Amino acid sequence: MNQKRILISGASIAGPTLAYWLNRFGFITTIVERADSLRLGGQNVDIKGAAQKVAQLMGIEDEIRAADTGELGVRFVNKDNITKAALPKGESNLGTSELEILRGDLVKILYNHTKDNVEYIFGNQITELSEFEDGVNVTFKNGEKRDFDLVICADGIRSRTRTLIFGDEPIVRSVGLYVSYFTIPRASSDSLWARWYNATDSRVIFIRPDNEGTTRASFSFLSEPKGYEKLSTIEQKEILKQKFSDAGWEATRILTELENNTDIYFDAISQVIAPRWSNGRCAMTGDAAYCPSPLTGMGVSLSVLGAYILAGELSRHSDYQKAFSEYEKVFRPYVTKIQKLPPGVPKLAHPKSKIGISIFNTVINIISSKAIKKIGTLFTNKSKLSTDDTIELPDYWKQAKA
Ligand SMILES: Cc1cc2nc3c(=O)[nH]c(=O)nc-3n(C[C@H](O)[C@H](O)[C@H](O)COP(=O)(O)OP(=O)(O)OC[C@H]3O[C@@H](n4cnc5c(N)ncnc54)[C@H](O)[C@@H]3O)c2cc1C
């Protein structure tokens, strides 16, 4: 199987992780990214459980640790910025995790560890795929045509490459929540504590420190799907203005800063449910295949793990069909467990009324109290990684090049 040429679509987390491992197993890899350069936006993400072990095996765990955002924990504040509850880092299964890094920093680390051995193509994308006996003929947006042995789609939850391969077979299921992430200048009220503010009508503003002297902000609100994710950035900013202008607390400051922002990410939080992850010589991984949603806290960990397992199975089996089916056999049961959202999520954290908000803060206080900290596990599935939902990491790395 080695020396096979593999085209990967998407240069975020899943794509470069896959390319890293495929290279170590001796494959020749190309990554095509639609954006003109790496997309470095987003807030803190975390890597845990078996994915942390994969990061260790890749030799990037120390770099991830060194890029820690410095966040000390999360304070839940009211409209007067009074802390009603707090979750210090590492003292609960909710809140700030042990290994947290800005999404963009992780993307840069993965790129730096692959750029010398992977052909990166930016500002282009696959527009047509046609399979022949020995490979796949790929047409790119710029009109170029090239042949590859296999094509892997790792281009995120709204992947168009996935549609080229699977049509509308995979379902993108909204969980009833919109979230936007963006960066704003740090203000005197910001500190190394993240602040979470619940406004009435199921709205949340969450701001977090980063290690770049700025602040990462997010707005989220419960809503049935309205197609906001398809709107232009200007229209999305307008929606957020309408939704949050009367939210109170620091909403006005954050909305003012949003006007000048250029890295906004706005999406309907959803899960991808796909009955199969491969079709012929094409397969998918990461959010494109099985996005669990940020509510699970597992988007990045699943991307890293899935990429490692897909590369490992391709290295073990010279028959790509066998490799693709083993990838699903090993990984799908774990994905299915992670995709199960705890009851009441995301509504619990987005109460509608003042009373609901007060109950939410009381619950957080209970969770943070030392005596019953473990109750936090009822409200998150983060803890599952350390209990019955662990995945035994296959030892493909033993057959990889140093
Ligand atoms: C800008 C951005 C900000 C994000 N911020 C957060 C955050 O703050 N918190 C959080 O939990 N998750 C965030 N996410 C999602 C998070 O990165 C994923 O849930 C997780 O890391 C899985 O990664 P992935 O590589 O599968 O997909 P993604 O990270 O979504 O990356 C997909 C990549 O594919 C590229 N792409 C899309 N379409 C095409 C195409 N047709 N051809 C070629 N390339 C294409 C995209 O530009 C992107 O680089 C963000 C994603 C992006 C893109």
Side-chain angles (χ1 to χ4, degrees), residues 9-16 32-35 37-45 103 107 124-126 154-161 181 263-265 285-288 291-294 299-300 303:
S9 178
S12 173
I13 311 286
V32 59
E33 163 62 47
R34 188 176 62 183
S37 55
L38 294 174
R39 294 180 67 193
L40 303 176
Q43 289 200 336
N44 309 22
V45 292
R103 177 191 164 276
V107 170
N124 211 344
Q125 60 185 294
I126 302 168
D155 44 25
I157 187 165
R158 311 272 162 206
S159 169
R160 289 186 209 159
T161 317
Y181 303 112
D263 75 346
I264 182 173
Y265 175 84
T285 194
D287 272 6
C291 177
S293 92
V300 166
S303 293

Short mmCIF file of all heavy atoms in Angstrom, two decimals, residues 9-16 32-35 37-45 103 107 124-126 154-161 181 263-265 285-288 291-294 299-300 303, ligand 1:
data_model
loop_
_atom_site.label_atom_id
_atom_site.label_comp_id
_atom_site.label_asym_id
_atom_site.label_seq_id
_atom_site.Cartn_x
_atom_site.Cartn_y
_atom_site.Cartn_z
N SER A 9 -8.68 16.55 1.63
CA SER A 9 -9.31 17.87 1.49
C SER A 9 -9.53 18.46 2.88
O SER A 9 -10.21 17.86 3.71
CB SER A 9 -10.64 17.71 0.76
OG SER A 9 -11.27 18.97 0.67
N GLY A 10 -8.92 19.64 3.16
CA GLY A 10 -9.10 20.31 4.46
C GLY A 10 -7.83 20.35 5.28
O GLY A 10 -7.25 19.30 5.57
N ALA A 11 -7.37 21.57 5.61
CA ALA A 11 -6.11 21.73 6.37
C ALA A 11 -6.39 22.35 7.73
O ALA A 11 -5.98 23.48 8.00
CB ALA A 11 -5.13 22.60 5.58
N SER A 12 -7.13 21.62 8.57
CA SER A 12 -7.43 22.14 9.91
C SER A 12 -6.81 21.20 10.94
O SER A 12 -5.59 21.23 11.16
CB SER A 12 -8.95 22.26 10.07
OG SER A 12 -9.31 22.60 11.37
N ILE A 13 -7.63 20.34 11.55
CA ILE A 13 -7.11 19.40 12.56
C ILE A 13 -7.03 17.98 11.95
O ILE A 13 -5.97 17.35 11.95
CB ILE A 13 -8.03 19.34 13.80
CG1 ILE A 13 -8.37 20.74 14.31
CG2 ILE A 13 -7.41 18.45 14.88
CD1 ILE A 13 -7.30 21.48 15.02
N ALA A 14 -8.17 17.50 11.43
CA ALA A 14 -8.21 16.12 10.94
C ALA A 14 -7.27 15.92 9.76
O ALA A 14 -6.52 14.92 9.71
CB ALA A 14 -9.65 15.76 10.55
N GLY A 15 -7.29 16.85 8.79
CA GLY A 15 -6.49 16.68 7.56
C GLY A 15 -5.00 16.56 7.85
O GLY A 15 -4.37 15.54 7.49
N PRO A 16 -4.39 17.55 8.51
CA PRO A 16 -2.95 17.45 8.78
C PRO A 16 -2.58 16.29 9.71
O PRO A 16 -1.51 15.70 9.56
CB PRO A 16 -2.63 18.81 9.43
CG PRO A 16 -3.66 19.73 8.84
CD PRO A 16 -4.91 18.90 8.74
N VAL A 32 -5.42 19.73 0.07
CA VAL A 32 -5.97 20.91 -0.60
C VAL A 32 -6.89 21.63 0.40
O VAL A 32 -7.72 21.00 1.05
CB VAL A 32 -6.72 20.54 -1.92
CG1 VAL A 32 -7.87 19.57 -1.68
CG2 VAL A 32 -7.23 21.80 -2.61
N GLU A 33 -6.66 22.94 0.55
CA GLU A 33 -7.45 23.76 1.50
C GLU A 33 -8.13 24.88 0.72
O GLU A 33 -7.49 25.60 -0.05
CB GLU A 33 -6.52 24.31 2.59
CG GLU A 33 -7.06 25.47 3.40
CD GLU A 33 -8.33 25.17 4.22
OE1 GLU A 33 -8.38 24.14 4.91
OE2 GLU A 33 -9.27 26.00 4.13
N ARG A 34 -9.43 25.01 0.94
CA ARG A 34 -10.21 26.02 0.21
C ARG A 34 -9.77 27.45 0.53
O ARG A 34 -9.73 28.30 -0.35
CB ARG A 34 -11.68 25.84 0.57
CG ARG A 34 -12.60 26.69 -0.25
CD ARG A 34 -14.04 26.40 0.08
NE ARG A 34 -14.34 26.71 1.46
CZ ARG A 34 -15.52 26.50 2.04
NH1 ARG A 34 -16.49 25.94 1.36
NH2 ARG A 34 -15.74 26.81 3.29
N ALA A 35 -9.45 27.71 1.79
CA ALA A 35 -9.03 29.07 2.17
C ALA A 35 -7.63 29.36 1.61
O ALA A 35 -6.87 28.45 1.30
CB ALA A 35 -9.02 29.19 3.69
N SER A 37 -5.16 30.62 3.14
CA SER A 37 -4.12 30.29 4.13
C SER A 37 -4.79 29.52 5.26
O SER A 37 -6.01 29.32 5.24
CB SER A 37 -3.50 31.59 4.67
OG SER A 37 -4.53 32.40 5.18
N LEU A 38 -4.00 29.10 6.24
CA LEU A 38 -4.59 28.35 7.36
C LEU A 38 -5.66 29.20 8.03
O LEU A 38 -5.47 30.41 8.20
CB LEU A 38 -3.50 28.02 8.40
CG LEU A 38 -2.40 27.07 7.97
CD1 LEU A 38 -1.34 26.99 9.07
CD2 LEU A 38 -2.97 25.68 7.68
N ARG A 39 -6.75 28.60 8.45
CA ARG A 39 -7.80 29.34 9.17
C ARG A 39 -7.52 29.19 10.67
O ARG A 39 -7.62 28.11 11.22
CB ARG A 39 -9.17 28.78 8.81
CG ARG A 39 -9.50 29.02 7.35
CD ARG A 39 -10.85 28.48 7.00
NE ARG A 39 -11.91 29.21 7.66
CZ ARG A 39 -13.17 28.77 7.72
NH1 ARG A 39 -13.50 27.61 7.19
NH2 ARG A 39 -14.09 29.49 8.32
N LEU A 40 -7.19 30.31 11.30
CA LEU A 40 -6.68 30.23 12.67
C LEU A 40 -7.69 30.72 13.71
O LEU A 40 -7.34 30.89 14.87
CB LEU A 40 -5.37 31.03 12.78
CG LEU A 40 -4.27 30.56 11.81
CD1 LEU A 40 -3.04 31.46 11.92
CD2 LEU A 40 -3.89 29.10 12.08
N GLY A 41 -8.92 30.95 13.30
CA GLY A 41 -9.92 31.48 14.24
C GLY A 41 -10.38 30.44 15.25
O GLY A 41 -9.96 29.28 15.23
N GLY A 42 -11.25 30.88 16.15
CA GLY A 42 -11.85 29.96 17.13
C GLY A 42 -11.31 30.17 18.53
O GLY A 42 -10.39 30.94 18.74
N GLN A 43 -11.93 29.48 19.46
CA GLN A 43 -11.58 29.62 20.87
C GLN A 43 -10.68 28.47 21.32
O GLN A 43 -10.09 27.78 20.51
CB GLN A 43 -12.86 29.59 21.70
CG GLN A 43 -13.72 30.83 21.55
CD GLN A 43 -14.68 30.95 22.73
OE1 GLN A 43 -15.01 29.97 23.38
NE2 GLN A 43 -15.13 32.17 23.01
N ASN A 44 -10.70 28.26 22.64
CA ASN A 44 -9.92 27.15 23.21
C ASN A 44 -10.53 25.83 22.76
O ASN A 44 -11.75 25.70 22.74
CB ASN A 44 -10.02 27.12 24.73
CG ASN A 44 -9.70 28.45 25.36
OD1 ASN A 44 -9.80 29.47 24.73
ND2 ASN A 44 -9.34 28.41 26.62
N VAL A 45 -9.68 24.89 22.46
CA VAL A 45 -10.14 23.52 22.26
C VAL A 45 -9.28 22.64 23.16
O VAL A 45 -8.22 23.08 23.62
CB VAL A 45 -10.00 23.09 20.77
CG1 VAL A 45 -10.96 23.86 19.89
CG2 VAL A 45 -8.58 23.23 20.27
N ARG A 103 -7.56 26.96 19.17
CA ARG A 103 -7.69 26.13 17.98
C ARG A 103 -6.63 26.50 16.93
O ARG A 103 -5.98 25.65 16.32
CB ARG A 103 -9.09 26.25 17.40
CG ARG A 103 -9.28 25.46 16.13
CD ARG A 103 -10.57 25.79 15.43
NE ARG A 103 -10.50 25.30 14.07
CZ ARG A 103 -9.93 25.97 13.08
NH1 ARG A 103 -9.40 27.16 13.28
NH2 ARG A 103 -9.86 25.44 11.86
N VAL A 107 -3.74 24.27 15.00
CA VAL A 107 -3.66 24.17 13.53
C VAL A 107 -2.22 24.49 13.08
O VAL A 107 -1.65 23.79 12.23
CB VAL A 107 -4.70 25.11 12.87
CG1 VAL A 107 -4.48 25.20 11.36
CG2 VAL A 107 -6.12 24.63 13.16
N ASN A 124 -7.77 26.47 -3.13
CA ASN A 124 -8.29 25.60 -4.19
C ASN A 124 -9.21 24.55 -3.55
O ASN A 124 -9.21 24.39 -2.33
CB ASN A 124 -7.14 24.94 -4.95
CG ASN A 124 -7.48 24.67 -6.40
OD1 ASN A 124 -8.64 24.70 -6.80
ND2 ASN A 124 -6.46 24.39 -7.20
N GLN A 125 -9.97 23.87 -4.33
CA GLN A 125 -10.82 22.81 -3.78
C GLN A 125 -11.21 21.83 -4.89
O GLN A 125 -11.08 22.15 -6.08
CB GLN A 125 -12.07 23.40 -3.13
CG GLN A 125 -12.95 24.19 -4.07
CD GLN A 125 -14.11 24.84 -3.31
OE1 GLN A 125 -14.97 24.16 -2.79
NE2 GLN A 125 -14.13 26.15 -3.26
N ILE A 126 -11.69 20.67 -4.46
CA ILE A 126 -12.10 19.65 -5.42
C ILE A 126 -13.48 20.02 -5.96
O ILE A 126 -14.39 20.34 -5.19
CB ILE A 126 -12.19 18.27 -4.72
CG1 ILE A 126 -10.84 17.89 -4.09
CG2 ILE A 126 -12.67 17.20 -5.69
CD1 ILE A 126 -10.92 16.69 -3.14
N ALA A 154 -11.66 15.73 4.67
CA ALA A 154 -11.48 16.14 6.08
C ALA A 154 -11.78 17.63 6.16
O ALA A 154 -11.05 18.38 6.79
CB ALA A 154 -10.06 15.82 6.54
N ASP A 155 -12.85 18.03 5.46
CA ASP A 155 -13.06 19.47 5.33
C ASP A 155 -14.28 19.98 6.09
O ASP A 155 -14.97 20.90 5.67
CB ASP A 155 -13.07 19.92 3.86
CG ASP A 155 -13.86 19.00 2.96
OD1 ASP A 155 -14.77 18.33 3.46
OD2 ASP A 155 -13.58 18.98 1.74
N GLY A 156 -14.51 19.38 7.25
CA GLY A 156 -15.42 19.99 8.21
C GLY A 156 -16.90 19.66 8.03
O GLY A 156 -17.32 18.97 7.10
N ILE A 157 -17.67 20.22 8.95
CA ILE A 157 -19.08 19.83 9.07
C ILE A 157 -19.90 20.16 7.83
O ILE A 157 -20.83 19.46 7.49
CB ILE A 157 -19.67 20.49 10.34
CG1 ILE A 157 -21.07 20.00 10.59
CG2 ILE A 157 -19.63 22.00 10.30
CD1 ILE A 157 -21.58 20.30 11.98
N ARG A 158 -19.54 21.24 7.13
CA ARG A 158 -20.33 21.63 5.94
C ARG A 158 -19.64 21.19 4.65
O ARG A 158 -19.78 21.82 3.60
CB ARG A 158 -20.56 23.14 5.90
CG ARG A 158 -21.07 23.73 7.19
CD ARG A 158 -22.58 23.71 7.29
NE ARG A 158 -22.98 23.88 8.69
CZ ARG A 158 -24.11 23.44 9.21
NH1 ARG A 158 -24.98 22.82 8.46
NH2 ARG A 158 -24.40 23.62 10.48
N SER A 159 -18.86 20.15 4.73
CA SER A 159 -18.05 19.68 3.61
C SER A 159 -18.81 19.55 2.28
O SER A 159 -19.84 18.87 2.20
CB SER A 159 -17.50 18.31 3.99
OG SER A 159 -16.93 17.69 2.88
N ARG A 160 -18.27 20.20 1.27
CA ARG A 160 -18.87 20.03 -0.07
C ARG A 160 -18.27 18.81 -0.76
O ARG A 160 -18.90 18.19 -1.61
CB ARG A 160 -18.59 21.26 -0.94
CG ARG A 160 -19.39 22.45 -0.47
CD ARG A 160 -19.21 23.61 -1.43
NE ARG A 160 -19.36 24.85 -0.68
CZ ARG A 160 -18.90 26.02 -1.06
NH1 ARG A 160 -18.22 26.13 -2.19
NH2 ARG A 160 -19.09 27.08 -0.34
N THR A 161 -17.05 18.47 -0.37
CA THR A 161 -16.43 17.26 -0.95
C THR A 161 -17.25 16.04 -0.55
O THR A 161 -17.44 15.11 -1.34
CB THR A 161 -14.98 17.12 -0.44
OG1 THR A 161 -14.38 18.40 -0.48
CG2 THR A 161 -14.19 16.14 -1.26
N TYR A 181 -17.99 32.44 17.20
CA TYR A 181 -16.72 32.67 17.90
C TYR A 181 -16.00 33.79 17.17
O TYR A 181 -15.97 33.82 15.94
CB TYR A 181 -15.81 31.44 17.82
CG TYR A 181 -16.40 30.14 18.36
CD1 TYR A 181 -16.70 29.09 17.49
CD2 TYR A 181 -16.60 29.95 19.71
CE1 TYR A 181 -17.21 27.88 17.97
CE2 TYR A 181 -17.11 28.75 20.20
CZ TYR A 181 -17.40 27.73 19.33
OH TYR A 181 -17.90 26.54 19.80
N ASP A 263 -12.52 37.57 11.85
CA ASP A 263 -12.36 36.10 11.94
C ASP A 263 -13.59 35.42 12.55
O ASP A 263 -13.46 34.41 13.23
CB ASP A 263 -11.07 35.74 12.71
CG ASP A 263 -11.22 35.95 14.22
OD1 ASP A 263 -12.18 36.61 14.67
OD2 ASP A 263 -10.36 35.43 14.97
N ILE A 264 -14.76 35.94 12.30
CA ILE A 264 -15.96 35.35 12.91
C ILE A 264 -16.27 33.96 12.33
O ILE A 264 -16.16 33.73 11.13
CB ILE A 264 -17.18 36.28 12.76
CG1 ILE A 264 -18.40 35.68 13.46
CG2 ILE A 264 -17.48 36.60 11.32
CD1 ILE A 264 -19.61 36.60 13.51
N TYR A 265 -16.61 33.06 13.23
CA TYR A 265 -17.07 31.72 12.85
C TYR A 265 -18.48 31.61 13.40
O TYR A 265 -18.72 31.88 14.58
CB TYR A 265 -16.15 30.67 13.49
CG TYR A 265 -16.57 29.23 13.28
CD1 TYR A 265 -16.23 28.54 12.13
CD2 TYR A 265 -17.29 28.54 14.26
CE1 TYR A 265 -16.60 27.22 11.95
CE2 TYR A 265 -17.67 27.21 14.09
CZ TYR A 265 -17.32 26.56 12.94
OH TYR A 265 -17.68 25.25 12.76
N THR A 285 -13.17 11.74 7.27
CA THR A 285 -12.77 11.70 8.68
C THR A 285 -13.01 13.06 9.31
O THR A 285 -13.31 14.03 8.62
CB THR A 285 -11.29 11.23 8.80
OG1 THR A 285 -11.01 10.89 10.14
CG2 THR A 285 -10.32 12.29 8.32
N GLY A 286 -12.88 13.16 10.62
CA GLY A 286 -13.09 14.44 11.32
C GLY A 286 -14.55 14.86 11.29
O GLY A 286 -15.46 14.04 11.11
N ASP A 287 -14.77 16.17 11.46
CA ASP A 287 -16.15 16.69 11.51
C ASP A 287 -16.96 16.31 10.28
O ASP A 287 -18.17 16.14 10.36
CB ASP A 287 -16.13 18.22 11.65
CG ASP A 287 -16.05 18.66 13.10
OD1 ASP A 287 -15.90 17.80 13.98
OD2 ASP A 287 -16.16 19.88 13.35
N ALA A 288 -16.32 16.22 9.14
CA ALA A 288 -17.04 15.88 7.90
C ALA A 288 -17.75 14.54 8.05
O ALA A 288 -18.88 14.36 7.58
CB ALA A 288 -16.06 15.81 6.72
N CYS A 291 -18.99 14.69 13.05
CA CYS A 291 -18.94 15.82 13.99
C CYS A 291 -19.81 15.53 15.21
O CYS A 291 -21.00 15.25 15.09
CB CYS A 291 -19.44 17.09 13.29
SG CYS A 291 -19.47 18.49 14.43
N PRO A 292 -19.23 15.58 16.41
CA PRO A 292 -20.03 15.28 17.60
C PRO A 292 -20.67 16.54 18.18
O PRO A 292 -21.51 16.45 19.07
CB PRO A 292 -18.99 14.75 18.59
CG PRO A 292 -17.73 15.46 18.23
CD PRO A 292 -17.80 15.75 16.75
N SER A 293 -20.22 17.73 17.69
CA SER A 293 -20.62 19.08 18.15
C SER A 293 -19.74 19.49 19.32
O SER A 293 -19.33 18.64 20.14
CB SER A 293 -22.10 19.18 18.54
OG SER A 293 -22.25 18.92 19.92
N PRO A 294 -19.48 20.80 19.43
CA PRO A 294 -18.64 21.30 20.53
C PRO A 294 -19.24 21.01 21.90
O PRO A 294 -18.55 21.04 22.90
CB PRO A 294 -18.59 22.81 20.29
CG PRO A 294 -18.95 23.01 18.87
CD PRO A 294 -19.87 21.89 18.50
N GLY A 299 -14.76 17.42 19.79
CA GLY A 299 -14.56 17.60 18.35
C GLY A 299 -13.12 17.36 17.93
O GLY A 299 -12.82 16.61 17.00
N VAL A 300 -12.19 17.99 18.66
CA VAL A 300 -10.78 17.88 18.28
C VAL A 300 -10.26 16.48 18.60
O VAL A 300 -9.56 15.87 17.79
CB VAL A 300 -9.97 18.99 18.99
CG1 VAL A 300 -8.48 18.71 18.90
CG2 VAL A 300 -10.30 20.34 18.37
N SER A 303 -11.31 14.08 16.04
CA SER A 303 -10.62 14.30 14.76
C SER A 303 -9.23 13.69 14.77
O SER A 303 -8.80 13.06 13.80
CB SER A 303 -10.46 15.79 14.49
OG SER A 303 -11.70 16.35 14.29
C1 LIG B 1 -12.38 28.87 11.56
C2 LIG B 1 -12.85 27.79 12.49
C3 LIG B 1 -13.05 28.09 13.86
C4 LIG B 1 -13.50 27.10 14.73
N1 LIG B 1 -13.63 27.41 16.04
C5 LIG B 1 -14.00 26.45 16.92
C6 LIG B 1 -14.08 26.73 18.33
O1 LIG B 1 -13.83 27.83 18.77
N2 LIG B 1 -14.47 25.73 19.15
C7 LIG B 1 -14.75 24.48 18.70
O2 LIG B 1 -15.10 23.60 19.49
N3 LIG B 1 -14.66 24.18 17.38
C8 LIG B 1 -14.30 25.13 16.49
N4 LIG B 1 -14.19 24.83 15.15
C9 LIG B 1 -14.48 23.44 14.72
C10 LIG B 1 -13.32 22.52 15.07
O3 LIG B 1 -12.15 22.93 14.42
C11 LIG B 1 -13.71 21.11 14.66
O4 LIG B 1 -14.86 20.74 15.38
C12 LIG B 1 -12.69 20.02 14.96
O5 LIG B 1 -11.43 20.47 15.19
C13 LIG B 1 -12.65 19.03 13.79
O6 LIG B 1 -11.78 19.49 12.83
P1 LIG B 1 -11.83 19.13 11.29
O7 LIG B 1 -10.42 19.24 10.82
O8 LIG B 1 -12.54 17.87 11.05
O9 LIG B 1 -12.76 20.27 10.65
P2 LIG B 1 -12.65 21.86 10.68
O10 LIG B 1 -11.85 22.33 11.82
O11 LIG B 1 -14.01 22.38 10.52
O12 LIG B 1 -11.79 22.20 9.36
C14 LIG B 1 -12.22 22.00 8.04
C15 LIG B 1 -11.19 22.63 7.10
O13 LIG B 1 -11.56 22.33 5.76
C16 LIG B 1 -11.57 23.52 4.98
N5 LIG B 1 -12.56 23.36 3.92
C17 LIG B 1 -13.90 23.49 3.98
N6 LIG B 1 -14.45 23.18 2.81
C18 LIG B 1 -13.45 22.83 1.97
C19 LIG B 1 -13.39 22.37 0.63
N7 LIG B 1 -14.50 22.21 -0.09
N8 LIG B 1 -12.18 22.07 0.11
C20 LIG B 1 -11.03 22.22 0.84
N9 LIG B 1 -11.03 22.66 2.12
C21 LIG B 1 -12.22 22.95 2.69
C22 LIG B 1 -11.90 24.61 5.98
O14 LIG B 1 -11.49 25.88 5.53
C23 LIG B 1 -11.12 24.15 7.21
O15 LIG B 1 -9.78 24.57 7.18
C24 LIG B 1 -13.76 25.79 14.24
C25 LIG B 1 -13.56 25.49 12.87
C26 LIG B 1 -13.10 26.47 12.01
C27 LIG B 1 -12.89 26.12 10.54
#
